[in-house]
Amino acid sequence: MFRVFGWAGTAAAALWVAAACAGAEPADSIAILPVRVELSGPADSQQLVVEALSAGQAVGDLTSRARFESSDPRVARVDGAGVVRPVGDGEARITARVDGRSASVPVAVRGSALRVAPGFRTHVLPALTRAACNSGACHGALAGKGGLKLSLRGYDPAADYDALTRQAAGRRVTRGAPDQSLLLLKPSLQMGHGGGLRLRKGSPDYALVAAWVRAGAPPPREADPEVQALEVHPERASLEAGQVQRIVVRARYSNGRFRDVTPWVKFGTSESRVAGVDEQGRVKVAGPGEAAITVWFSSKVAFARIVSPFPRRPSREVFEGAARRGWIDDLILRKLEALGIPLAPLCSDSEFIRRAFLDVCGILPTPREVEAFLSDSAPDKRDRLVDSLLARPEHVDYWSYKWSDLFLVSSRKLQGRAMTTFYNWIRDGVARNKSWAQMAREILTARGSTLDNGAANFYVLHKDPIALTETTTQAFLGMSVQCARCHNHPLEKWTQNDYYQMAGLFARVRLKNGDQPGGDVLVLTSSQGEVIHPRLGRALPPRPLDGVELRPDDPRDRREVLAEWLTAPENPYFARALVNRVWRSLMGRGLVEAEDDLRLTNPPSNPELLDALAAEFVKSGHDVRRLIRLIMTSASYQRSAVPVPGSPEDEVHYSRAIVRRLPAEVVLDAISQVTGVPSEFPGYPKGTRALQLRDAAVPSYFLTAFGRPDRVQTCSCERTDDPTIAQALHLANGDTVNQKLRAPGGLVDQLLDSGAEDEEVIREAYLAALSRLPTVSERQKLLEALADAPDDPLAPEAERRAVRRPALEDLLWAVLTSKEFLFNH
């Protein structure tokens, strides 16, 4: 069973996208949020937000201008700020009026006469968390501070209660003299406190903690209701720069009740240039764009999405007339229209063939392939090109290399034969277009000899349950759970219990040395073995992150249960992770960026699109090749990298193609391809391309300088494409380019041997390296440069070649070191 949350791939979300296209139009109605209020106990309250609506979309906070009234003040009263408080049990309606418009919400009050002390888990810990008392910089640090250690952000209520009530000779909480409790005196600075002022005397949180102490400091109980989910109001809003929007957060508890927890929520923003948020949840729009306002409370995370359209927005006709080739384009165009971002036209055929070859196969098209494609007038030629590329062996090379990065194929931890077996298993999967679900199942359930079953090497690379848990979630779910090893995840919903229950699924994997030479290891399973929870001192029932617990005596291989959960069609993480990786590879930026950081506090730029792609991927049977084709045949993939004049910079919403530097291996192979001089790698046959290397540890200064990953950790951050001085110097003066230009039998010799005229030389160089013909201006400048090289037709051939060669080398060097060559665009 899966507890799906937050991503709004629903009809309601689609309606919001359509409504958002209207932008911040004048309000046609108002609404009160939340749409129903439930108050429990005399101390409960609920902040209301009055929203202006346009076509059903929130477009402004009118709370400060509203006049409120209660239909029955004997049940509930409401103040001028929109805060509702209980008076007596029953039901009433709260009405708000603004400029002749009105809206109302029902209010139900229960237990108004009950006098219940604040709870440690429900009330005190959130107050201490809001004050940052248990943050990593304070008492939540690994060793604590000032002799007091609390669990990070309150993930262990029992331990925190013990630290506050039983340690320090009981002086932190003094039941007989509550006002003398250090828990109150120090954070309010009535006594010296290294952490400064945290609870101002007389503040609501100070009063809450004091009331808990006066009530005898009751401990947390197993029966205490726990937070199950967060509601954010409004969930989405379209606002202009300068507008302020109040965010209200309600927690839904395991007993079915709701509580306004806004005062204790930790707020954040994904894009401060668009919208900032203060500690009270007031969002101020700073500029155009889109931002996700994240909310964190009691290890639960949710977010609100704020859209602020750009001021010079194109007309609706621009978007209605834009090229589109399916639902991918529909969803991207809706987002661009909502934000008012103009979109670039489709790229030229020259740009498309180069981009497609590089993205699918990691190679450049040959000059003859470029000429044939440019001369083809068939309307479906781009689709046919994609299909032909997906059938090429270079496609297998390229994507085998990508998955080898992901699975850390390297001689650093694997011996030669074992490493080769692992690589061959990956390559066979790509060549056969094996489903991603099958690849995952074969890896996770691998057993036997690592020389016979390449997938079994996964367990040699990651030998213990801890490493296996963290690598599996990163590789197949695109998320890091490492923080939950020591405490509840501060940026996710995963708890420490979740982590160790997941780790328990790998507890019975055993490794044994085999008899064959070359790294033979036998992967086996045992009927015994558990992972001990370090805080509880015992093993918990094994369970996939959002799955069902296994009985400790369940005879099945626990990895089979994990693989079944992981690849199940209803798993909300597995398909999204792979889709995001492929999308980033083809489009230059993930729908979630970084590509393997799919946490709730890092929401996608287009959640509807990510959901739709994931659903289609599942429907296809997790067919990676089909996913690649789906993206590449869209108009969004085929847009030009040149933005419309006057349009805002956009590398988030795909209004244009994102220019990105080629990977290290692709750059080196492209230089070899254009010059006609292959690179040489120790231990590999001559002619082996960089993308055909099985081992990331093969020595190559060029690959290292240009950001080849070491394959020691499962993280996309290992590969870098940032420009460096070392790269520039190596291209200018290093051996790689210069030696290939001077090598006998290369392109320069071929041009000299053919007797090619200057025009033909320029044409061939441009087609080979840039997949296009030179412009008139480029052609003229290069002809003038080549004409400067003296050419005496009466001189001996050897002398003429010696004079002409440097000129051709300079021409090719200029092309091969240009930005246009080094970048995909």
Side-chain angles (χ1 to χ4, degrees), residues 318-385:
V318 170
F319 296 98
E320 291 176 347
R324 61 183 77 206
R325 306 189 67 195
W327 52 265
I328 288 179
D329 303 317
D330 292 339
L331 291 171
I332 287 179
L333 288 171
R334 287 179 191 173
K335 175 71 72 173
L336 294 175
E337 186 173 359
L339 290 166
I341 300 176
L343 64 158
L346 296 183
C347 65
S348 67
D349 283 344
S350 293
E351 292 167 327
F352 178 78
I353 187 174
R354 187 177 192 270
R355 184 187 304 172
F357 263 80
L358 289 170
D359 282 341
V360 180
C361 297
I363 60 174
L364 293 168
T366 66
R368 307 294 80 79
E369 287 171 324
V370 174
E371 290 174 329
F373 186 74
L374 296 182
S375 64
D376 189 346
S377 60
D380 65 340
K381 69 177 184 179
R382 294 192 177 189
D383 290 356
R384 287 190 288 106
L385 176 65

Side-chain angles (χ1 to χ4, degrees), residues 363-426:
I363 60 174
L364 293 168
T366 66
R368 307 294 80 79
E369 287 171 324
V370 174
E371 290 174 329
F373 186 74
L374 296 182
S375 64
D376 189 346
S377 60
D380 65 340
K381 69 177 184 179
R382 294 192 177 189
D383 290 356
R384 287 190 288 106
L385 176 65
V386 172
D387 290 335
S388 68
L389 292 174
L390 289 170
R392 291 178 66 140
E394 293 91 346
H395 165 72
V396 179
D397 294 334
Y398 187 50
W399 288 82
S400 297
Y401 199 95
K402 277 185 174 294
W403 302 145
S404 294
D405 280 352
L406 181 65
F407 296 130
L408 309 183
V409 178
S410 171
S411 62
R412 288 183 174 89
K413 291 187 178 181
L414 295 174
Q415 294 187 36
R417 284 185 61 195
M419 181 195 67
T420 299
T421 305
F422 197 8
Y423 173 82
N424 288 341
W425 174 83
I426 294 171

Side-chain angles (χ1 to χ4, degrees), residues 506-569:
F506 294 108
R508 297 182 174 180
V509 179
R510 301 289 183 267
L511 301 181
K512 179 181 178 182
N513 288 333
D515 298 328
Q516 305 178 62
D520 185 22
V521 176
L522 302 180
V523 178
L524 312 168
T525 56
S526 172
S527 60
Q528 294 181 331
E530 303 294 347
V531 175
I532 302 301
H533 192 299
R535 178 170 54 88
L536 301 178
R538 58 183 173 86
L540 296 178
R543 175 177 64 85
L545 287 178
D546 256 347
V548 178
E549 289 184 356
L550 279 71
R551 298 189 320 273
D553 60 347
D554 193 313
R556 291 177 292 175
D557 184 343
R558 294 176 177 182
R559 301 175 305 155
E560 295 278 359
V561 176
L562 172 61
E564 182 179 346
W565 168 83
L566 187 79
T567 60

Side-chain angles (χ1 to χ4, degrees), residues 399-473:
W399 288 82
S400 297
Y401 199 95
K402 277 185 174 294
W403 302 145
S404 294
D405 280 352
L406 181 65
F407 296 130
L408 309 183
V409 178
S410 171
S411 62
R412 288 183 174 89
K413 291 187 178 181
L414 295 174
Q415 294 187 36
R417 284 185 61 195
M419 181 195 67
T420 299
T421 305
F422 197 8
Y423 173 82
N424 288 341
W425 174 83
I426 294 171
R427 182 179 174 81
D428 177 69
V430 176
R432 292 167 51 194
N433 194 28
K434 192 182 296 181
S435 83
W436 189 245
Q438 185 179 349
M439 296 275 284
R441 280 194 298 268
E442 290 184 11
I443 278 187
L444 293 179
T445 63
R447 63 177 66 229
S449 168
T450 55
L451 300 186
D452 298 329
N453 180 3
N457 286 283
F458 183 75
Y459 289 95
V460 178
L461 290 168
H462 317 287
K463 291 183 170 66
D464 63 83
I466 298 301
L468 286 165
T469 297
E470 295 174 3
T471 299
T472 298
T473 52

